[in-house]
Amino acid sequence: MKINFKFDYKNLIIAVFIFLVEILIATKLKDLFFVRAYLGDVFVVMLIYYFIKAFFGFNSTKLIIGIFIFSCMIEFAQYFHFGELMGFKDNRIMMIVLGNSFSWLDILCYFAGCLILYLITKIKLE
């Protein structure tokens, strides 16, 4: 499999914008349960997508499916307390990145984010 490096500044700008939104959610909007618990998870898959698309010319549909699978793997790792098993219990940043509690609703949010991405790519291409 050949990896196609292709820099796209528009996707990088979108990724940076979503990253700033995620920081806003984590810092200023953390008391709004719905936004922090659900909307953040919808945006995180979009952040990953646009960041990868900023540097690589992967097929959009395959990338979205891959991101959903990756997100589910991280979520299931939380069920087994993977972060703690790896010795990150006292590392706040790693525990935020890896998460610390499994939730089926998080998987639903990842799916919603991936579905939105899929619809965006289909509307954009046609």
Side-chain angles (χ1 to χ4, degrees):
M1 180 172 130
K2 183 179 176 186
I3 296 178
N4 184 16
F5 179 79
K6 180 182 138 190
F7 181 71
D8 184 335
Y9 73 92
K10 291 177 186 175
N11 284 329
L12 183 61
I13 290 170
I14 294 169
V16 169
F17 176 76
I18 295 171
F19 180 71
L20 294 174
V21 169
E22 288 281 26
I23 290 173
L24 179 68
I25 289 171
T27 58
K28 303 295 182 190
L29 303 175
K30 62 185 175 191
D31 296 328
L32 298 174
F33 179 76
F34 177 81
V35 173
R36 184 191 53 77
Y38 303 118
L39 209 51
D41 289 340
V42 172
F43 284 137
V44 77
V45 294
M46 295 178 173
L47 171 62
I48 295 168
Y49 173 84
Y50 283 107
F51 184 76
I52 292 172
K53 288 295 275 187
F55 298 100
F56 300 100
F58 293 129
N59 173 282
S60 294
T61 302
K62 289 179 181 178
L63 179 59
I64 292 167
I65 292 168
I67 290 169
F68 179 69
I69 291 168
F70 173 76
S71 301
C72 290
M73 289 172 51
I74 294 294
E75 194 65 30
F76 283 112
Q78 291 174 15
Y79 179 80
F80 297 104
H81 305 284
F82 183 73
E84 292 175 21
L85 292 172
M86 295 301 295
F88 295 128
K89 184 177 182 178
D90 296 325
N91 186 328
R92 187 169 184 252
I93 293 174
M94 282 304 293
M95 290 305 288
I96 288 170
V97 169
L98 293 175
N100 54 17
S101 63
F102 174 83
S103 171
W104 286 106
L105 289 174
D106 287 352
I107 292 175
L108 184 62
C109 291
Y110 302 144
F111 179 77
C114 288
L115 180 61
I116 291 167
L117 282 171
Y118 179 77
L119 294 173
I120 288 170
T121 62
K122 290 304 166 196
I123 290 168
K124 211 162 124 180
L125 294 175
E126 295 181 56

